[in-house]
mmCIF file of all heavy atoms in Angstrom:
data_model
loop_
_atom_site.group_PDB
_atom_site.id
_atom_site.type_symbol
_atom_site.label_atom_id
_atom_site.label_comp_id
_atom_site.label_asym_id
_atom_site.label_seq_id
_atom_site.Cartn_x
_atom_site.Cartn_y
_atom_site.Cartn_z
ATOM 1 N N ALA A 1 -84.333 42.685 -60.246
ATOM 2 C CA ALA A 1 -83.884 41.997 -61.461
ATOM 3 C C ALA A 1 -84.761 42.379 -62.655
ATOM 4 O O ALA A 1 -84.274 42.504 -63.781
ATOM 5 C CB ALA A 1 -83.908 40.486 -61.250
ATOM 6 N N ALA A 2 -86.060 42.576 -62.410
ATOM 7 C CA ALA A 2 -86.952 43.012 -63.485
ATOM 8 C C ALA A 2 -86.578 44.413 -63.968
ATOM 9 O O ALA A 2 -86.640 44.703 -65.168
ATOM 10 C CB ALA A 2 -88.404 42.996 -62.994
ATOM 11 N N ILE A 3 -86.157 45.266 -63.053
ATOM 12 C CA ILE A 3 -85.702 46.610 -63.425
ATOM 13 C C ILE A 3 -84.404 46.518 -64.221
ATOM 14 O O ILE A 3 -84.222 47.212 -65.228
ATOM 15 C CB ILE A 3 -85.520 47.476 -62.156
ATOM 16 C CG1 ILE A 3 -86.881 47.739 -61.505
ATOM 17 C CG2 ILE A 3 -84.817 48.795 -62.491
ATOM 18 C CD1 ILE A 3 -86.785 48.364 -60.130
ATOM 19 N N ASP A 4 -83.501 45.643 -63.794
ATOM 20 C CA ASP A 4 -82.238 45.478 -64.493
ATOM 21 C C ASP A 4 -82.452 45.026 -65.932
ATOM 22 O O ASP A 4 -81.694 45.406 -66.828
ATOM 23 C CB ASP A 4 -81.368 44.458 -63.741
ATOM 24 C CG ASP A 4 -80.017 44.242 -64.377
ATOM 25 O OD1 ASP A 4 -79.188 45.178 -64.316
ATOM 26 O OD2 ASP A 4 -79.787 43.159 -64.952
ATOM 27 N N ARG A 5 -83.495 44.233 -66.165
ATOM 28 C CA ARG A 5 -83.800 43.736 -67.509
ATOM 29 C C ARG A 5 -84.750 44.661 -68.277
ATOM 30 O O ARG A 5 -85.234 44.284 -69.349
ATOM 31 C CB ARG A 5 -84.386 42.324 -67.419
ATOM 32 C CG ARG A 5 -83.409 41.313 -66.820
ATOM 33 C CD ARG A 5 -83.932 39.906 -66.863
ATOM 34 N NE ARG A 5 -82.957 38.970 -66.312
ATOM 35 C CZ ARG A 5 -83.020 37.645 -66.423
ATOM 36 N NH1 ARG A 5 -84.037 37.103 -67.088
ATOM 37 N NH2 ARG A 5 -82.097 36.874 -65.894
ATOM 38 N N ARG A 6 -85.050 45.815 -67.697
ATOM 39 C CA ARG A 6 -85.903 46.830 -68.319
ATOM 40 C C ARG A 6 -87.347 46.350 -68.488
ATOM 41 O O ARG A 6 -88.109 46.900 -69.301
ATOM 42 C CB ARG A 6 -85.345 47.283 -69.680
ATOM 43 C CG ARG A 6 -83.982 47.935 -69.602
ATOM 44 C CD ARG A 6 -84.054 49.264 -68.875
ATOM 45 N NE ARG A 6 -84.844 50.243 -69.603
ATOM 46 C CZ ARG A 6 -85.253 51.400 -69.088
ATOM 47 N NH1 ARG A 6 -84.964 51.701 -67.830
ATOM 48 N NH2 ARG A 6 -85.968 52.254 -69.816
ATOM 49 N N LEU A 7 -87.742 45.337 -67.728
ATOM 50 C CA LEU A 7 -89.138 44.930 -67.720
ATOM 51 C C LEU A 7 -89.973 45.933 -66.940
ATOM 52 O O LEU A 7 -91.168 46.093 -67.186
ATOM 53 C CB LEU A 7 -89.276 43.533 -67.098
ATOM 54 C CG LEU A 7 -88.549 42.401 -67.815
ATOM 55 C CD1 LEU A 7 -88.630 41.118 -67.004
ATOM 56 C CD2 LEU A 7 -89.131 42.200 -69.205
ATOM 57 N N VAL A 8 -89.331 46.582 -65.980
ATOM 58 C CA VAL A 8 -89.952 47.656 -65.210
ATOM 59 C C VAL A 8 -89.057 48.881 -65.351
ATOM 60 O O VAL A 8 -87.859 48.807 -65.060
ATOM 61 C CB VAL A 8 -90.112 47.275 -63.725
ATOM 62 C CG1 VAL A 8 -90.648 48.451 -62.918
ATOM 63 C CG2 VAL A 8 -91.033 46.062 -63.569
ATOM 64 N N HIS A 9 -89.641 49.999 -65.785
ATOM 65 C CA HIS A 9 -88.804 51.182 -66.025
ATOM 66 C C HIS A 9 -89.522 52.497 -65.744
ATOM 67 O O HIS A 9 -88.924 53.567 -65.886
ATOM 68 C CB HIS A 9 -88.278 51.179 -67.467
ATOM 69 C CG HIS A 9 -89.351 51.015 -68.496
ATOM 70 N ND1 HIS A 9 -90.112 52.073 -68.955
ATOM 71 C CD2 HIS A 9 -89.808 49.902 -69.135
ATOM 72 C CE1 HIS A 9 -90.990 51.621 -69.832
ATOM 73 N NE2 HIS A 9 -90.828 50.306 -69.966
ATOM 74 N N ASP A 10 -90.815 52.431 -65.357
ATOM 75 C CA ASP A 10 -91.550 53.647 -65.032
ATOM 76 C C ASP A 10 -92.742 53.274 -64.155
ATOM 77 O O ASP A 10 -92.921 52.097 -63.785
ATOM 78 C CB ASP A 10 -91.998 54.387 -66.295
ATOM 79 C CG ASP A 10 -92.851 53.538 -67.228
ATOM 80 O OD1 ASP A 10 -93.338 52.466 -66.793
ATOM 81 O OD2 ASP A 10 -93.036 53.939 -68.393
ATOM 82 N N ALA A 11 -93.582 54.258 -63.827
ATOM 83 C CA ALA A 11 -94.708 54.003 -62.931
ATOM 84 C C ALA A 11 -95.694 53.003 -63.527
ATOM 85 O O ALA A 11 -96.234 52.146 -62.822
ATOM 86 C CB ALA A 11 -95.411 55.319 -62.593
ATOM 87 N N ALA A 12 -95.942 53.100 -64.818
ATOM 88 C CA ALA A 12 -96.916 52.207 -65.459
ATOM 89 C C ALA A 12 -96.463 50.754 -65.428
ATOM 90 O O ALA A 12 -97.249 49.848 -65.123
ATOM 91 C CB ALA A 12 -97.169 52.658 -66.894
ATOM 92 N N THR A 13 -95.180 50.514 -65.740
ATOM 93 C CA THR A 13 -94.688 49.134 -65.728
ATOM 94 C C THR A 13 -94.524 48.615 -64.300
ATOM 95 O O THR A 13 -94.669 47.414 -64.050
ATOM 96 C CB THR A 13 -93.357 49.023 -66.492
ATOM 97 O OG1 THR A 13 -92.440 50.042 -66.039
ATOM 98 C CG2 THR A 13 -93.579 49.188 -67.990
ATOM 99 N N LEU A 14 -94.250 49.503 -63.341
ATOM 100 C CA LEU A 14 -94.210 49.092 -61.939
ATOM 101 C C LEU A 14 -95.597 48.646 -61.478
ATOM 102 O O LEU A 14 -95.738 47.624 -60.794
ATOM 103 C CB LEU A 14 -93.718 50.241 -61.060
ATOM 104 C CG LEU A 14 -93.763 50.004 -59.540
ATOM 105 C CD1 LEU A 14 -92.875 48.827 -59.144
ATOM 106 C CD2 LEU A 14 -93.352 51.266 -58.791
ATOM 107 N N GLU A 15 -96.615 49.392 -61.864
ATOM 108 C CA GLU A 15 -97.990 49.018 -61.507
ATOM 109 C C GLU A 15 -98.357 47.655 -62.091
ATOM 110 O O GLU A 15 -98.923 46.797 -61.400
ATOM 111 C CB GLU A 15 -98.960 50.082 -62.019
ATOM 112 C CG GLU A 15 -100.415 49.767 -61.723
ATOM 113 C CD GLU A 15 -101.367 50.788 -62.313
ATOM 114 O OE1 GLU A 15 -100.931 51.922 -62.591
ATOM 115 O OE2 GLU A 15 -102.557 50.444 -62.492
ATOM 116 N N SER A 16 -98.018 47.440 -63.350
ATOM 117 C CA SER A 16 -98.317 46.166 -63.997
ATOM 118 C C SER A 16 -97.581 45.023 -63.314
ATOM 119 O O SER A 16 -98.155 43.950 -63.064
ATOM 120 C CB SER A 16 -97.927 46.237 -65.475
ATOM 121 O OG SER A 16 -98.153 44.997 -66.108
ATOM 122 N N TRP A 17 -96.305 45.239 -63.011
ATOM 123 C CA TRP A 17 -95.516 44.199 -62.349
ATOM 124 C C TRP A 17 -96.086 43.871 -60.974
ATOM 125 O O TRP A 17 -96.242 42.689 -60.625
ATOM 126 C CB TRP A 17 -94.061 44.648 -62.209
ATOM 127 C CG TRP A 17 -93.136 43.568 -61.751
ATOM 128 C CD1 TRP A 17 -92.400 42.727 -62.517
ATOM 129 C CD2 TRP A 17 -92.859 43.195 -60.384
ATOM 130 N NE1 TRP A 17 -91.686 41.860 -61.728
ATOM 131 C CE2 TRP A 17 -91.951 42.118 -60.423
ATOM 132 C CE3 TRP A 17 -93.303 43.670 -59.153
ATOM 133 C CZ2 TRP A 17 -91.472 41.515 -59.259
ATOM 134 C CZ3 TRP A 17 -92.837 43.063 -57.995
ATOM 135 C CH2 TRP A 17 -91.926 41.995 -58.061
ATOM 136 N N ALA A 18 -96.403 44.887 -60.174
ATOM 137 C CA ALA A 18 -96.925 44.664 -58.831
ATOM 138 C C ALA A 18 -98.261 43.922 -58.877
ATOM 139 O O ALA A 18 -98.511 43.013 -58.079
ATOM 140 C CB ALA A 18 -97.079 46.001 -58.102
ATOM 141 N N ARG A 19 -99.125 44.287 -59.819
ATOM 142 C CA ARG A 19 -100.424 43.629 -59.942
ATOM 143 C C ARG A 19 -100.259 42.146 -60.264
ATOM 144 O O ARG A 19 -100.909 41.290 -59.659
ATOM 145 C CB ARG A 19 -101.250 44.330 -61.032
ATOM 146 C CG ARG A 19 -102.608 43.695 -61.265
ATOM 147 C CD ARG A 19 -103.432 44.475 -62.282
ATOM 148 N NE ARG A 19 -103.900 45.745 -61.709
ATOM 149 C CZ ARG A 19 -103.460 46.931 -62.076
ATOM 150 N NH1 ARG A 19 -102.526 47.043 -63.036
ATOM 151 N NH2 ARG A 19 -103.928 48.027 -61.511
ATOM 152 N N ARG A 20 -99.380 41.847 -61.204
ATOM 153 C CA ARG A 20 -99.170 40.436 -61.576
ATOM 154 C C ARG A 20 -98.505 39.665 -60.450
ATOM 155 O O ARG A 20 -98.827 38.489 -60.209
ATOM 156 C CB ARG A 20 -98.325 40.368 -62.849
ATOM 157 C CG ARG A 20 -99.048 40.905 -64.074
ATOM 158 C CD ARG A 20 -98.169 40.891 -65.304
ATOM 159 N NE ARG A 20 -98.862 41.457 -66.454
ATOM 160 C CZ ARG A 20 -98.322 41.568 -67.654
ATOM 161 N NH1 ARG A 20 -97.086 41.162 -67.870
ATOM 162 N NH2 ARG A 20 -99.025 42.097 -68.640
ATOM 163 N N TRP A 21 -97.569 40.290 -59.752
ATOM 164 C CA TRP A 21 -96.897 39.628 -58.633
ATOM 165 C C TRP A 21 -97.900 39.266 -57.542
ATOM 166 O O TRP A 21 -97.903 38.138 -57.037
ATOM 167 C CB TRP A 21 -95.813 40.554 -58.088
ATOM 168 C CG TRP A 21 -95.118 40.064 -56.857
ATOM 169 C CD1 TRP A 21 -94.395 38.913 -56.724
ATOM 170 C CD2 TRP A 21 -95.084 40.707 -55.579
ATOM 171 N NE1 TRP A 21 -93.902 38.806 -55.443
ATOM 172 C CE2 TRP A 21 -94.312 39.895 -54.719
ATOM 173 C CE3 TRP A 21 -95.619 41.903 -55.093
ATOM 174 C CZ2 TRP A 21 -94.067 40.236 -53.393
ATOM 175 C CZ3 TRP A 21 -95.382 42.248 -53.781
ATOM 176 C CH2 TRP A 21 -94.613 41.424 -52.933
ATOM 177 N N LEU A 22 -98.765 40.190 -57.182
ATOM 178 C CA LEU A 22 -99.771 39.923 -56.157
ATOM 179 C C LEU A 22 -100.753 38.851 -56.612
ATOM 180 O O LEU A 22 -101.128 37.960 -55.837
ATOM 181 C CB LEU A 22 -100.538 41.206 -55.826
ATOM 182 C CG LEU A 22 -99.756 42.330 -55.148
ATOM 183 C CD1 LEU A 22 -100.616 43.591 -55.082
ATOM 184 C CD2 LEU A 22 -99.301 41.928 -53.752
ATOM 185 N N THR A 23 -101.156 38.912 -57.884
ATOM 186 C CA THR A 23 -102.216 38.037 -58.391
ATOM 187 C C THR A 23 -101.746 36.615 -58.640
ATOM 188 O O THR A 23 -102.465 35.650 -58.325
ATOM 189 C CB THR A 23 -102.796 38.614 -59.697
ATOM 190 O OG1 THR A 23 -103.283 39.936 -59.450
ATOM 191 C CG2 THR A 23 -103.919 37.743 -60.235
ATOM 192 N N PHE A 24 -100.553 36.466 -59.186
ATOM 193 C CA PHE A 24 -100.117 35.143 -59.631
ATOM 194 C C PHE A 24 -99.035 34.499 -58.766
ATOM 195 O O PHE A 24 -98.851 33.285 -58.834
ATOM 196 C CB PHE A 24 -99.615 35.219 -61.078
ATOM 197 C CG PHE A 24 -100.652 35.691 -62.045
ATOM 198 C CD1 PHE A 24 -100.542 36.916 -62.681
ATOM 199 C CD2 PHE A 24 -101.767 34.912 -62.313
ATOM 200 C CE1 PHE A 24 -101.503 37.357 -63.574
ATOM 201 C CE2 PHE A 24 -102.743 35.339 -63.207
ATOM 202 C CZ PHE A 24 -102.615 36.571 -63.832
ATOM 203 N N ALA A 25 -98.324 35.271 -57.980
ATOM 204 C CA ALA A 25 -97.224 34.720 -57.177
ATOM 205 C C ALA A 25 -97.527 34.782 -55.686
ATOM 206 O O ALA A 25 -97.755 33.750 -55.042
ATOM 207 C CB ALA A 25 -95.924 35.462 -57.497
ATOM 208 N N LEU A 26 -97.559 35.960 -55.119
ATOM 209 C CA LEU A 26 -97.722 36.092 -53.669
ATOM 210 C C LEU A 26 -99.101 35.653 -53.196
ATOM 211 O O LEU A 26 -99.227 34.884 -52.239
ATOM 212 C CB LEU A 26 -97.466 37.541 -53.255
ATOM 213 C CG LEU A 26 -97.515 37.764 -51.745
ATOM 214 C CD1 LEU A 26 -96.150 37.483 -51.116
ATOM 215 C CD2 LEU A 26 -97.948 39.187 -51.406
ATOM 216 N N GLY A 27 -100.139 36.145 -53.845
ATOM 217 C CA GLY A 27 -101.493 35.862 -53.384
ATOM 218 C C GLY A 27 -101.835 34.381 -53.295
ATOM 219 O O GLY A 27 -102.246 33.903 -52.230
ATOM 220 N N PRO A 28 -101.679 33.613 -54.382
ATOM 221 C CA PRO A 28 -102.064 32.202 -54.334
ATOM 222 C C PRO A 28 -101.218 31.353 -53.381
ATOM 223 O O PRO A 28 -101.646 30.263 -52.995
ATOM 224 C CB PRO A 28 -101.852 31.741 -55.783
ATOM 225 C CG PRO A 28 -101.910 32.980 -56.598
ATOM 226 C CD PRO A 28 -101.300 34.040 -55.737
ATOM 227 N N ALA A 29 -100.064 31.824 -53.009
ATOM 228 C CA ALA A 29 -99.202 31.063 -52.099
ATOM 229 C C ALA A 29 -99.302 31.624 -50.680
ATOM 230 O O ALA A 29 -100.046 31.103 -49.846
ATOM 231 C CB ALA A 29 -97.758 31.091 -52.602
ATOM 232 N N GLU A 30 -98.585 32.700 -50.404
ATOM 233 C CA GLU A 30 -98.581 33.264 -49.058
ATOM 234 C C GLU A 30 -99.963 33.773 -48.636
ATOM 235 O O GLU A 30 -100.331 33.678 -47.469
ATOM 236 C CB GLU A 30 -97.562 34.393 -48.959
ATOM 237 C CG GLU A 30 -96.122 33.913 -48.858
ATOM 238 C CD GLU A 30 -95.416 33.953 -50.201
ATOM 239 O OE1 GLU A 30 -96.095 33.715 -51.222
ATOM 240 O OE2 GLU A 30 -94.200 34.229 -50.226
ATOM 241 N N GLY A 31 -100.737 34.301 -49.591
ATOM 242 C CA GLY A 31 -102.070 34.781 -49.246
ATOM 243 C C GLY A 31 -102.962 33.680 -48.709
ATOM 244 O O GLY A 31 -103.662 33.855 -47.699
ATOM 245 N N VAL A 32 -102.955 32.524 -49.353
ATOM 246 C CA VAL A 32 -103.762 31.391 -48.891
ATOM 247 C C VAL A 32 -103.239 30.878 -47.553
ATOM 248 O O VAL A 32 -104.018 30.494 -46.669
ATOM 249 C CB VAL A 32 -103.779 30.277 -49.953
ATOM 250 C CG1 VAL A 32 -104.521 29.046 -49.439
ATOM 251 C CG2 VAL A 32 -104.430 30.777 -51.239
ATOM 252 N N VAL A 33 -101.927 30.862 -47.379
ATOM 253 C CA VAL A 33 -101.359 30.432 -46.100
ATOM 254 C C VAL A 33 -101.802 31.355 -44.978
ATOM 255 O O VAL A 33 -102.131 30.910 -43.874
ATOM 256 C CB VAL A 33 -99.817 30.360 -46.181
ATOM 257 C CG1 VAL A 33 -99.195 30.261 -44.791
ATOM 258 C CG2 VAL A 33 -99.404 29.161 -47.027
ATOM 259 N N VAL A 34 -101.825 32.656 -45.229
ATOM 260 C CA VAL A 34 -102.277 33.607 -44.211
ATOM 261 C C VAL A 34 -103.728 33.328 -43.827
ATOM 262 O O VAL A 34 -104.080 33.297 -42.637
ATOM 263 C CB VAL A 34 -102.101 35.053 -44.704
ATOM 264 C CG1 VAL A 34 -102.918 36.026 -43.853
ATOM 265 C CG2 VAL A 34 -100.635 35.443 -44.650
ATOM 266 N N ALA A 35 -104.592 33.124 -44.809
ATOM 267 C CA ALA A 35 -105.998 32.835 -44.510
ATOM 268 C C ALA A 35 -106.130 31.547 -43.709
ATOM 269 O O ALA A 35 -106.891 31.477 -42.727
ATOM 270 C CB ALA A 35 -106.788 32.728 -45.815
ATOM 271 N N THR A 36 -105.388 30.531 -44.104
ATOM 272 C CA THR A 36 -105.453 29.237 -43.431
ATOM 273 C C THR A 36 -104.954 29.313 -42.000
ATOM 274 O O THR A 36 -105.585 28.792 -41.074
ATOM 275 C CB THR A 36 -104.624 28.195 -44.215
ATOM 276 O OG1 THR A 36 -105.134 28.081 -45.540
ATOM 277 C CG2 THR A 36 -104.686 26.844 -43.536
ATOM 278 N N THR A 37 -103.813 29.958 -41.805
ATOM 279 C CA THR A 37 -103.250 30.028 -40.453
ATOM 280 C C THR A 37 -104.071 30.947 -39.558
ATOM 281 O O THR A 37 -104.132 30.735 -38.340
ATOM 282 C CB THR A 37 -101.788 30.498 -40.482
ATOM 283 O OG1 THR A 37 -101.684 31.725 -41.217
ATOM 284 C CG2 THR A 37 -100.898 29.452 -41.143
ATOM 285 N N CYS A 38 -104.723 31.940 -40.138
ATOM 286 C CA CYS A 38 -105.609 32.795 -39.357
ATOM 287 C C CYS A 38 -106.781 31.973 -38.809
ATOM 288 O O CYS A 38 -107.104 32.049 -37.614
ATOM 289 C CB CYS A 38 -106.109 33.951 -40.213
ATOM 290 S SG CYS A 38 -107.165 35.129 -39.359
ATOM 291 N N ARG A 39 -107.404 31.185 -39.666
ATOM 292 C CA ARG A 39 -108.498 30.316 -39.211
ATOM 293 C C ARG A 39 -108.010 29.306 -38.188
ATOM 294 O O ARG A 39 -108.664 29.054 -37.171
ATOM 295 C CB ARG A 39 -109.111 29.578 -40.406
ATOM 296 C CG ARG A 39 -110.057 30.394 -41.256
ATOM 297 C CD ARG A 39 -110.857 29.503 -42.196
ATOM 298 N NE ARG A 39 -109.993 28.822 -43.148
ATOM 299 C CZ ARG A 39 -109.662 29.322 -44.342
ATOM 300 N NH1 ARG A 39 -110.107 30.510 -44.714
ATOM 301 N NH2 ARG A 39 -108.882 28.645 -45.158
ATOM 302 N N ALA A 40 -106.850 28.716 -38.462
ATOM 303 C CA ALA A 40 -106.327 27.673 -37.572
ATOM 304 C C ALA A 40 -105.962 28.231 -36.200
ATOM 305 O O ALA A 40 -106.230 27.600 -35.166
ATOM 306 C CB ALA A 40 -105.111 27.008 -38.212
ATOM 307 N N ALA A 41 -105.354 29.410 -36.172
ATOM 308 C CA ALA A 41 -104.975 30.004 -34.885
ATOM 309 C C ALA A 41 -106.206 30.329 -34.056
ATOM 310 O O ALA A 41 -106.212 30.157 -32.827
ATOM 311 C CB ALA A 41 -104.131 31.254 -35.108
ATOM 312 N N ALA A 42 -107.258 30.803 -34.709
ATOM 313 C CA ALA A 42 -108.494 31.107 -33.990
ATOM 314 C C ALA A 42 -109.110 29.852 -33.383
ATOM 315 O O ALA A 42 -109.793 29.918 -32.350
ATOM 316 C CB ALA A 42 -109.489 31.780 -34.930
#
């Protein structure tokens, strides 16, 4: 959808999008869950 809206259109904008996605969306949610469940499973 970001590509469709021309927010991502080349390697530079893909890099920026991926960095922000990891930092602000995936990391604080799924990343913390992975750390928590790893400790809990152990």
Side-chain angles (χ1 to χ4, degrees):
I3 293 170
D4 181 70
R5 297 186 179 192
R6 298 293 295 168
L7 299 173
V8 175
H9 52 83
D10 57 15
T13 49
L14 174 61
E15 179 184 339
S16 177
W17 190 93
R19 178 176 288 110
R20 293 177 182 180
W21 175 60
L22 293 172
T23 303
F24 300 112
L26 184 86
E30 283 98 326
V32 175
V33 166
V34 164
T36 301
T37 53
C38 182
R39 282 194 297 270

